[in-house]
Amino acid sequence: MNRRKFLQLMGATSVVALTASCNRNSSVMGALPGPTELARFPEKTEMILLTDRPPQLETPIHYFRQDLTPNEAFFVRWHLEGLPTSVDLRSFRLNVSGHVRQTLQLSMDELRSRFDPISIVAVNQCSGNSRSFFGPRVPGGQWKHGAVGNAKWTGVPMKSILDRAQVKEGAVDVSFNGLDAPPLPSVADFVKALSIDHARDGEVMIAYAMNDQPLPMVNGFPLRLVVPGWYGTYWVKALSDITVLPQAFSNFWTDKAYRIPTAPNGTESPKDLAKDTVPINRFNVRSIFVRPDSDEMLYSGAPTEIEGVAFDSGYGIRRVEVSTDGGTTWVDARLDPEIGKYSWRRWRALWTPRKLGHYRLMARATNAVGDTQSKEQWNRSGFMWNVIQQVDVKVG
Amino acid sequence: MIPKTKSLVLSMGLAALLAGCAHPSSSKEQDHGIANGKMESMLHSRSDSPVHTIVMPHDEPVFPPGSGRDEFVTACVVCHSPRYITMQPRFSRTTWLSEVKKMKDVYGAHISDEQVLKITDYLVSINGQTGTGQGPKGTYGE
């Protein structure tokens, strides 16, 4: 097909009636899907547009020069078309029910005033972050490395809420549902669950603030489940319903979706798919280059700061090694002070290229229990990417 | 530009889409105080207001003519933006067929087996590989 004609057509026609009827404004978004199309959504800055409905927005890498990712630039990923666009805090309640002695209907004011708040700095990363780097390519959100962010989350420990509800003996799982709704009755509502022990570990929490501000609507206003060290699929947005269960939770989004092979880093072969899979869970170890960019021009004799962030599921980053010769030799990067065990940790290395030419930069993180990054990795869903990143730069 | 017949079909597709827009679960709205679709306070909802509202931008690509386009517009775009197609790499027919079947069998898209094939043809024609590549089959929740 003729690409130019395709683009013209997409830019050209209608959708106007649609816009009006849906009460959505026709906005600054360009109509032409391209490699890196930018879009500005409500309460957000310009972000990389993957999809608009439901929205999937990726953070441009330069925001990772800050330890805490600004709310307006934090990545966005929804599953269901019917995401909430208006919440009335006068009538909003967080409902706690199921295998408890005391059901709860908590207003935002009650969550703020009747529970001691905690704050945790934690990375949230989409299961499919960096999916577009898998080969062979796999279907799904074609993220580069920006479906991740680090924020200070403030709210109430889930344990405090479950204790208030007086969980009965024999509880097994706790499920979490948000205000988002499926576009068809046949589509499973997006509900996720944690084990009762995990939910009561004192770190899993319900956040009403993100970097000391209310959450943007598309990041889960007014409440979001925070599951430190675990993939974003568990961080249920616009959280409204918590159900304690006396049996194991089961639904499409756990039984069929978001599953990984049992091998380390969720790896399997395209020619021999794993028979056994488990629900995705904790982050593996990875590092992300913040600078230089691959298309940045560097100069021989000029000191160049190489910088990135590294994180894992909470053991802590202990070492990051950097190579400027495609992995032949490695030197230790300097690590910034640890912010918190669930935060990412910044690393830096000063490099002065001596000769003109092309260089391949690499960075490899290792955590406190000796886990390090993959050399090769693939799975059918494009989850858990943690291959050692390569950045090719030119020195002129 | 788009031939007349295609425009007509496009309108029909949009009608289906509008139904999709109006959908977001009304019972849930009552339960939780969502007031989807109130224009007035949307653009300037103040931080101290008890009602927090946004307006989602809506500007989706319109797809080029081709066999299977009608089925695509009516059956697929009800639930998601066409960008779910355009953001993907050029997949093999095997992969696209697997994706379309998933929409029918797993998510309950209202399409017949015959329409599955027509939609697959269309997706391959606009964003597929020529030849008979054996690309990966899609999975769920990605």
Side-chain angles (χ1 to χ4, degrees), chain A residues 53-347:
Chain A
R53 179 174 58 86
Q56 301 188 80
L57 310 172
E58 176 165 349
T59 306
I61 290 293
H62 68 84
Y63 284 103
F64 299 159
R65 292 184 185 187
Q66 302 168 64
D67 284 330
L68 298 182
T69 312
N71 291 2
E72 63 174 11
F74 210 94
F75 82 95
V76 172
R77 192 271 190 264
W78 290 85
H79 298 81
L80 307 176
E81 201 263 3
L83 64 150
T85 56
S86 184
V87 176
D88 185 342
L89 295 182
R90 292 167 299 192
S91 55
F92 175 85
R93 295 291 182 274
L94 175 66
N95 302 300
V96 184
S97 63
H99 201 59
V100 297
R101 291 197 177 77
Q102 179 64 58
T103 60
L104 304 174
Q105 296 81 37
L106 299 166
S107 69
M108 288 292 284
D109 281 345
E110 288 170 324
L111 278 169
R112 289 173 187 277
S113 63
R114 293 177 50 199
F115 296 88
D116 291 331
I118 59 166
S119 291
I120 295 180
V121 175
V123 169
N124 180 14
Q125 179 181 221
C126 179
S127 306
N129 192 24
S130 312
R131 177 178 288 118
S132 62
F133 295 94
F134 280 102
R137 298 286 295 271
V138 294
Q142 297 299 321
W143 305 101
K144 295 188 172 65
H145 300 306
V148 60
N150 193 40
K152 175 190 172 191
W153 309 93
T154 301
V156 180
M158 182 60 60
K159 180 179 193 311
S160 305
I161 291 170
L162 292 173
D163 287 351
R164 192 72 57 94
Q166 302 173 52
V167 173
K168 291 181 186 170
E169 285 297 309
V172 174
D173 280 348
V174 184
S175 71
F176 303 92
N177 193 9
L179 298 177
D180 52 337
L184 295 176
S186 53
V187 177
D189 197 7
F190 188 76
V191 183
K192 297 295 286 190
L194 302 173
S195 74
I196 182 71
D197 290 343
H198 189 185
R200 277 198 294 213
D201 72 357
E203 295 182 321
V204 171
M205 62 182 285
I206 297 172
Y208 47 68
M210 177 179 176
N211 297 326
D212 299 316
Q213 296 293 321
L215 285 73
M217 186 77 81
V218 292
N219 290 107
F221 182 88
L223 295 173
R224 179 169 201 173
L225 189 66
V226 170
V227 189
W230 283 51
Y231 281 97
T233 182
Y234 295 96
W235 298 46
V236 172
K237 295 181 289 300
L239 178 66
S240 57
D241 290 275
I242 299 171
T243 308
V244 180
L245 301 165
Q247 73 280 335
F249 177 73
S250 171
N251 84 342
F252 168 77
W253 297 105
T254 293
D255 303 342
K256 294 283 189 348
Y258 284 107
R259 297 184 73 86
I260 54 166
T262 52
N265 296 311
T267 290
E268 64 185 337
S269 162
K271 291 178 179 152
D272 184 21
L273 295 181
K275 303 283 182 293
D276 295 327
T277 61
V278 294
I280 196 168
N281 48 83
R282 300 166 67 123
F283 296 150
N284 52 12
V285 185
R286 72 171 299 183
S287 170
I288 298 172
F289 271 92
V290 175
R291 59 179 158 178
D293 284 337
S294 55
D295 54 357
E296 205 170 309
M297 184 59 136
L298 307 179
Y299 299 97
S300 69
T304 300
E305 181 92 305
I306 305 175
E307 178 186 336
V309 291
F311 61 92
D312 72 340
S313 67
Y315 296 107
I317 296 299
R318 287 296 172 270
R319 187 180 194 190
V320 176
E321 299 155 281
V322 171
S323 174
T324 56
D325 56 10
T328 306
T329 61
W330 297 84
V331 297
D332 280 306
R334 306 186 313 279
L335 298 178
D336 275 11
E338 206 166 34
I339 295 170
K341 64 183 195 169
Y342 295 112
S343 167
W344 60 32
R345 189 168 189 183
R346 192 166 303 275
W347 54 266

Side-chain angles (χ1 to χ4, degrees), chain A residues 1 6 9-10 12-15 18-19 21-25 27 29-31 33 37 41-43 49-56 77-78 81 84-92 95 131 137-142 177-184 186-187 189 217-218 221 240-241 252-253 256-258 380-381, chain B residues 1-2 10 14 17-18 20-25 28 30-39 42-43 49-65 76-84 86-91 95 99 102 106-110 122 125-126 136-142:
Chain A
M1 179 197 64
F6 180 40
L9 284 168
M10 288 192 297
T13 9
S14 61
V15 210
L18 215 172
T19 303
S21 301
C22 289
N23 283 332
R24 294 161 169 159
N25 64 348
S27 77
M29 284 165 48
E37 190 181 354
F41 272 63
E43 306 173 290
L49 176 68
L50 272 67
T51 61
D52 52 294
R53 179 174 58 86
Q56 301 188 80
R77 192 271 190 264
W78 290 85
E81 201 263 3
T85 56
S86 184
V87 176
D88 185 342
L89 295 182
R90 292 167 299 192
S91 55
F92 175 85
N95 302 300
R131 177 178 288 118
R137 298 286 295 271
V138 294
Q142 297 299 321
N177 193 9
L179 298 177
D180 52 337
L184 295 176
S186 53
V187 177
D189 197 7
M217 186 77 81
V218 292
F221 182 88
S240 57
D241 290 275
F252 168 77
W253 297 105
K256 294 283 189 348
Y258 284 107
R380 71 196 92 168
S381 304
Chain B
M1 301 311 302
I2 300 176
L10 175 63
L14 289 174
L17 230 169
L18 295 178
C21 287
H23 196 277
S25 162
K28 246 186 169 176
Q30 284 174 353
D31 289 348
H32 300 290
I34 302 182
N36 232 328
K38 281 188 183 169
M39 244 349 224
M42 282 189 171
L43 294 175
S49 162
V51 184
H52 186 58
T53 305
I54 60 168
V55 182
M56 296 297 285
H58 191 90
D59 186 2
E60 300 187 352
V62 176
F63 268 50
C76 307
V77 179
V78 172
C79 293
H80 62 77
S81 165
R83 281 193 173 80
Y84 275 74
T86 55
M87 76 161 160
Q88 304 300 331
R90 288 185 171 274
F91 282 126
T95 301
E99 287 296 298
K102 177 173 76 179
V106 178
Y107 298 113
H110 298 160
Y122 183 67
S125 77
I126 62 169
K137 290 179 178 161
T139 56
Y140 313 111
E142 65 272 4

